[in-house]
Amino acid sequence: MTFWSSETFKQQGKLQTVVSPFSPARVAHGAYELSLGREAYSTSSKDGKKTLLAEGEQFVIPPGQFAMLLTEEAVKIPNSAIGLISIKAGIKFRGLVNVSGFHVDPGYSGKLKFSVYNAGSKNIVLARNQAVFLLWLNKLDVATQDV
């Protein structure tokens, strides 16, 4: 198994619609930078409802709180690859921890949901369309049929 390079991601990303909408500028260091989407939910919400974010609107995750964040982009993982996901280091170092898992199954199609926890001591402020998440693709030796 090998990881896709930035060059492969740019080439295959366009051909296979791996990320939609796709922007070559979001490919760096062999990963695609996914952004915070329209929907977010925090356990600190008093009414228990999801927050619908306008373009550029901020979302705050207080210390000690969980949140569910949806990506702006949809992904379509090829049957010949598995996706690995993370949070960008600059945000992770402020205390945001991904607790939802670290892979995306071959054949998965749709937006990604990240369950996160603010383990830091300060509010973590994110904005819609901010690059927050990373997606790497790891090529399988053969395409799997059990997606």
Side-chain angles (χ1 to χ4, degrees), residues 18-121:
V18 174
V19 177
S20 181
F22 181 84
S23 170
R26 287 285 180 108
V27 178
H29 313 292
Y32 193 92
E33 297 177 337
L34 299 166
S35 57
L36 178 62
R38 182 172 181 243
E39 296 180 25
Y41 170 81
S42 173
T43 53
S44 65
S45 171
K46 293 179 182 171
D47 59 10
K49 294 182 181 177
K50 67 183 169 188
T51 301
L52 298 178
L53 302 170
E55 188 73 28
E57 185 177 358
Q58 294 182 331
F59 182 75
V60 177
I61 307 168
Q65 297 296 309
F66 286 91
M68 182 79 85
L69 308 174
L70 193 68
T71 60
E72 183 72 25
E73 302 84 1
V75 301
K76 185 176 182 184
I77 307 299
N79 294 6
S80 60
I82 187 168
L84 301 176
I85 55 175
S86 185
I87 297 172
K88 292 187 68 158
I91 298 167
K92 196 182 318 185
F93 294 156
R94 290 188 274 162
L96 196 63
V97 179
N98 175 19
V99 295
S100 59
F102 302 98
H103 80 279
V104 185
D105 293 334
Y108 174 81
S109 182
K111 294 188 178 197
L112 298 176
K113 295 176 190 167
F114 281 79
S115 295
V116 297
Y117 176 73
N118 182 354
S121 60

